[in-house]
Amino acid sequence: MKIRPSNTMKPILFNTEMVRATLDNRKTVTRRVVKPHNTRKAKRCEYLQGEGLWFDDEINEFDKDTHIKDYSISSCWIGTEIYIQKYASYRPGDILYVRETWQYAYDLDGNEQPIEETGRYFYAADYDSGPFGFWVNPDGTHRENMPWRPSIHMPREAARIFLRVTDVRVERLQDITDEQAEKEGCSDYTSTALGFFYVWDAAFKPKDRALYGWEANPWVWVIEFERISREEAEHEQNKN
């Protein structure tokens, strides 16, 4: 069964280090936690991350597919490709634009008024500190540095990184290999797979690590991608 891409360009959130690794062509895969799809049923079935999902890697002779059982959906086995098609946020062939920490700012004239034609987007990944020594708020008050806007609020028109999803699969977090860790942009440790522990846990608030941290070993979506240009992304979207 072939998984068809959607015809809508989708956003995906990357933190600053992920953006830098992608821009440096060091990151070509990302992992996202597989969370219960029906939280009410998951609670009723005492679904726990890492306990409520089962994977059968034997190929079924009938449908030539591996199978998954997700107790937040049903106690029945479902083909992996069908599971990805119905429940994964991203599927092979999808076109994504990366939302990153950003700001839109202007240069100021001698009277500290914005110069309209200088308005442009800035990205936190490009700077160790803000690009301006000081910032004038809309009410005229000053602050020392430019405030960054969170990635979740970045409009599509501000995107500079576009991706094509090439593969999606499901696995346990700790199944990551050194090769895969390097594709995640992690290359500063003797064993990159072990070093990925720090990269992964840093993305979660301390209160969430018991459920989604490295030690919890959650099931994750493994999303492989290739970087494409804005023109390619828009062409792919129009073609679909």
Side-chain angles (χ1 to χ4, degrees), residues 82-229:
I82 296 175
Y83 184 75
I84 291 171
Q85 183 182 43
K86 292 188 66 174
Y87 300 109
S89 297
Y90 308 109
R91 297 173 292 179
D94 278 351
I95 303 300
L96 314 179
Y97 68 94
V98 173
R99 281 179 165 167
E100 56 182 298
T101 305
W102 66 290
Q103 182 57 277
Y104 191 84
Y106 303 85
D107 293 329
L108 302 178
D109 63 20
N111 297 315
E112 295 186 351
Q113 296 299 309
I115 304 173
E116 287 295 328
E117 60 270 22
T118 65
R120 59 199 185 277
Y121 290 104
F122 292 84
Y123 306 93
D126 294 340
Y127 304 92
D128 292 326
S129 59
F132 298 114
F134 71 99
W135 175 267
V136 179
N137 293 316
D139 62 4
T141 57
H142 291 191
R143 57 189 298 171
E144 290 186 3
N145 294 302
M146 182 176 76
W148 293 110
R149 298 187 188 185
S151 56
I152 190 67
H153 298 309
M154 193 191 83
R156 177 173 146 185
E157 67 181 33
R160 59 173 175 167
I161 301 174
F162 297 86
L163 312 172
R164 180 190 291 113
V165 178
T166 57
D167 185 54
V168 177
R169 60 186 182 275
V170 179
E171 64 182 40
R172 296 297 285 269
L173 177 63
Q174 292 181 18
D175 288 341
I176 190 171
T177 62
D178 280 358
E179 180 183 5
Q180 275 288 304
E182 289 177 3
K183 289 183 177 181
E184 284 272 8
C186 177
S187 58
D188 298 330
Y189 303 89
T190 303
S191 170
T192 50
L194 293 176
F196 186 66
F197 159 83
Y198 300 100
V199 175
W200 179 264
D201 275 7
F204 294 94
K205 297 178 181 178
K207 67 181 181 65
D208 293 329
R209 289 174 190 163
L211 282 177
Y212 309 128
W214 177 265
E215 289 301 322
N217 195 23
W219 288 95
V220 291
W221 300 108
V222 182
I223 304 158
E224 305 241 12
F225 57 82
E226 60 184 358
R227 191 175 166 197
I228 60 176
S229 67

